[in-house]
Amino acid sequence: VILSDKSTVEIKANSPDGKSYLTLDGQISVELSKNDRVEVKSSEQSLSMIVLKKRNFYKLASEKLREVTVNEA
């Protein structure tokens, strides 16, 4: 889904078993109650990021997993 930076998306928790979770950045998880609403929109703050051209995230993750596997053996 591609949206304009002026768009707002609203998500309503409505799971049949009443259990819904919001996870942010793969780290923080919050349980939502039935009919809770989450609004997602562009922030007024900006973020500068560094891009490493020679290192690919997936290649780096694979290398790290290999290191863990070798060290645990």
Side-chain angles (χ1 to χ4, degrees):
V1 176
I2 300 173
L3 303 170
S4 161
D5 62 347
K6 296 182 182 16
S7 297
T8 298
V9 176
E10 183 178 282
I11 303 166
K12 182 178 175 185
N14 194 17
S15 175
D17 64 2
K19 293 184 180 182
S20 298
Y21 296 89
L22 171 66
T23 303
L24 304 170
D25 196 25
Q27 305 278 328
I28 304 165
S29 188
V30 178
E31 186 171 359
L32 301 175
S33 298
K34 189 171 184 178
N35 296 322
D36 275 355
R37 297 177 323 151
V38 177
E39 185 177 281
V40 181
K41 61 183 177 179
S42 180
S43 174
E44 294 177 7
Q45 298 177 6
S46 64
L47 171 69
S48 298
M49 298 185 73
I50 299 172
V51 178
L52 303 174
K53 293 181 181 182
K54 293 184 179 183
R55 298 203 78 169
N56 176 308
F57 169 79
Y58 296 103
K59 183 177 179 182
L60 181 61
S62 177
E63 290 171 6
K64 295 290 183 186
L65 287 171
R66 242 182 267 125
E67 287 175 15
V68 171
T69 304
V70 170
N71 290 336
E72 290 181 357

